């Protein structure tokens, strides 16, 4: 609160409360993390087109340690349906081929003189349906994570109001601001899912 003394009224003073702007930066950071995780999850769902992101989850045994595939090889699209993987150490080709096969991504993997070749077979109608279902599950995971983050923020806002650190009007203003951020994030999630469904449909 800020108080002003009115000279003509001697000790009578007028006090007013400065509205407290809630700090949404940590919440916005959480939203960004959920969004990035959802984007990675969608990218890892393969379609009929060759996409290096599908291999992001592949771990390769390299000198006694398991590391991401992109740490031991370069990955490029050879054409619309094929990825070319060039190991930095040619002796690791077999390990890379084995790791992709064990990842069970529904890809055709083979070795040639230039490294490892990964082909993306045409998707069947049944496989497309399964991939759309998986994408929707990833969307629900993102929404659940967002709900948890929202609930924590709302709880924090209510605690601040009860402790006298925030006027009631500001509490409801903060709640509205929080919900706007949630709605924007959910809209972005829905748009990302729609793009993925279109990609899966081919």
């Amino acid at each position: 609160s800020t108080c002003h003394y009115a000279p003509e009224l001697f000790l009578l003073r007028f006090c007013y409360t400065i509205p407290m702007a809630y700090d949404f930066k940590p919440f916005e950071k959480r939203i960004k993390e959920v969004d990035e995780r959802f984007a990675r999850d969608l990218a890892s769902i393969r379609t009929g087109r060759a996409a290096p992101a599908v291999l992001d989850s592949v771990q390769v045994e390299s000198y006694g340690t398991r590391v991401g595939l992109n740490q031991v090889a370069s990955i490029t699209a050879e054409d619309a349906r094929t990825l070319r993987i060039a190991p930095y150490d040619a002796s690791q080709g077999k390990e890379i081929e084995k790791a992709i096969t064990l990842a069970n991504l529904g890809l055709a993997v083979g070795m040639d003189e230039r490294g490892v070749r990964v082909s993306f077979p045409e998707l069947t109608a049944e496989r497309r349906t399964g991939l759309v279902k998986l994408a929707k599950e990833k969307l629900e995971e993102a929404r659940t994570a967002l709900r948890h983050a929202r609930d924590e923020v709302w709880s924090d806002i209510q605690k601040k109001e009860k402790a006298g650190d925030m006027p009631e009007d500001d509490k409801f203003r903060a709640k509205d601001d929080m919900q706007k951020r949630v709605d924007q994030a959910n809209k972005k999630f829905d748009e990302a899912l729609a793009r993925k469904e279109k990609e899966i449909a081919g």
Side-chain angles (χ1 to χ4, degrees), residues 78 82-87 93-94 96-98 100-101 107-120:
E78 196 167 78
T82 313
L83 291 179
R84 168 62 58 185
I85 300 169
K94 279 289 178 191
I96 290 170
E97 181 186 21
K98 178 182 168 187
I100 296 170
T101 303
L107 304 172
V109 191
M111 287 274 298
D112 61 25
E113 70 285 351
R114 291 169 54 209
V116 181
R117 190 169 180 270
V118 179
S119 300
F120 286 58

Side-chain angles (χ1 to χ4, degrees), residues 45-179:
I45 297 173
R46 84 166 187 84
T47 62
R49 292 187 64 82
V54 170
L55 301 175
D56 281 354
S57 62
V58 176
Q59 297 281 304
V60 180
E61 188 77 31
S62 175
Y63 306 109
T65 310
R66 296 192 70 75
V67 296
L69 174 57
N70 60 5
Q71 291 182 252
V72 296
S74 66
I75 308 167
T76 53
E78 196 167 78
D79 56 47
R81 302 285 287 279
T82 313
L83 291 179
R84 168 62 58 185
I85 300 169
Y88 299 135
D89 177 348
S91 68
Q92 290 196 293
K94 279 289 178 191
E95 276 298 334
I96 290 170
E97 181 186 21
K98 178 182 168 187
I100 296 170
T101 303
L102 289 175
N104 197 25
L105 299 169
L107 304 172
V109 191
M111 287 274 298
D112 61 25
E113 70 285 351
R114 291 169 54 209
V116 181
R117 190 169 180 270
V118 179
S119 300
F120 286 58
E122 182 67 47
L123 295 174
T124 62
E126 184 181 357
R127 181 65 176 150
R128 288 180 201 276
T129 301
L131 291 175
V132 169
K133 184 183 175 190
L134 178 59
K136 286 179 176 175
E137 286 171 4
K138 297 300 181 185
L139 171 65
E140 193 47 48
E141 285 175 17
R143 281 184 173 154
T144 300
L146 183 61
R147 277 196 299 271
H148 285 322
R150 179 203 63 193
D151 291 347
E152 285 174 17
V153 170
W154 178 228
S155 175
D156 187 47
I157 289 169
Q158 292 179 95
K159 279 178 191 169
K160 286 189 186 320
E161 190 257 341
K162 279 178 186 168
D165 296 331
M166 178 185 286
E168 191 175 18
D169 285 351
D170 286 359
K171 176 180 83 169
F172 290 113
R173 192 176 296 115
K175 185 182 182 184
D176 288 342
D177 288 345
M178 174 189 71
Q179 193 57 47

